[in-house]
Structure formats: structure tokens, C-alpha cells
Amino acid sequence: MECAGRGRGRGRGRGSRCIGSATRRCGRCGAVAYCSVSHQVSHWSDHKEECGRFELQMNRVDALNDFPFTFTPEATVGIVKKQESRCSFLSKRGLHRVGMWTCECTCGDSLDSFDYSR
């Protein structure tokens, strides 16, 4: 996970650099991580509005694991037996490079072209 406070901070129009990997998580929501206390403090003005919403979502994360976003084993037998690629399987169903199925693609194009700002 990337530091949520990356690029923020004071001084000459540039943010401060991260001092390492983002191992500190927000104590309230746990959804964002920081590399240091200073980045966490500098990011709080942006994060405080979304923190409560993230906290609610993170409290329900177990429910997401039960959500039926998978195909039956019978439908995926071609992938399991290496007769068909994931990309081919998704393309046949009109799901290649679409929404959450973008992360299931193994061709590499999907993640490079995915618009994360949505």
C-alpha cells in the first residue's frame, strides 16, 4: 500500500518524501496507511472527511468476502485445465477490462489502462 500522505507537506511547493514503506494505518478506519507520523498529520485535513465512511466500510469487510462475485467451477474448467486464459474467458462474457473484473485480467493491459479516479 502506498503512503496516503505522499507528496504532501510544506516547503518550496513540494511535498516531503516518504521515509519508507507505508506501515502505519489510520487508527480509526484502518483503510489508509502512512510512512510516518508527519505524513499522517499532514494528510488528516483531507482524510478526516472520508475517515468515518471508510470506518463503516472496513467494519463490513467480512461481508464482502461472502458476496457472490465468482463463477461456478463448471464455468471455469477451461481456465483450470489451462485450455483458456482468464482474458479469453472474460472476453467471451463481455467482462474483459470492465469494472471489478479488470483485476482478474492477466494480460497486463487492463491494469495499465484502468481509470482509478472513478
Side-chain angles (χ1 to χ4, degrees), residues 57-74:
Q57 291 172 347
M58 293 299 282
N59 287 336
R60 298 183 328 178
V61 75
D62 290 339
L64 294 175
N65 292 330
D66 296 332
F67 227 69
F69 285 142
T70 57
F71 291 100
T72 64
E74 294 82 18

Side-chain angles (χ1 to χ4, degrees), residues 1 5 9 13 31 47 53 64 75 80 84 87-88:
M1 183 177 274
H47 178 61
R53 182 173 45 88
L64 294 175
V80 173
E84 179 176 31
C87 295
S88 170

Side-chain angles (χ1 to χ4, degrees), residues 19-62:
I19 61 169
S21 58
T23 56
R24 300 180 51 85
R25 291 199 177 254
C26 173
R28 181 177 173 194
C29 71
V32 295
Y34 302 94
C35 67
S36 65
V37 173
S38 64
H39 276 191
Q40 188 170 1
V41 170
S42 70
H43 187 248
W44 177 245
S45 61
D46 292 333
H47 178 61
K48 67 182 172 185
E49 292 180 24
E50 65 191 8
C51 188
R53 182 173 45 88
F54 283 167
E55 181 181 22
L56 291 173
Q57 291 172 347
M58 293 299 282
N59 287 336
R60 298 183 328 178
V61 75
D62 290 339

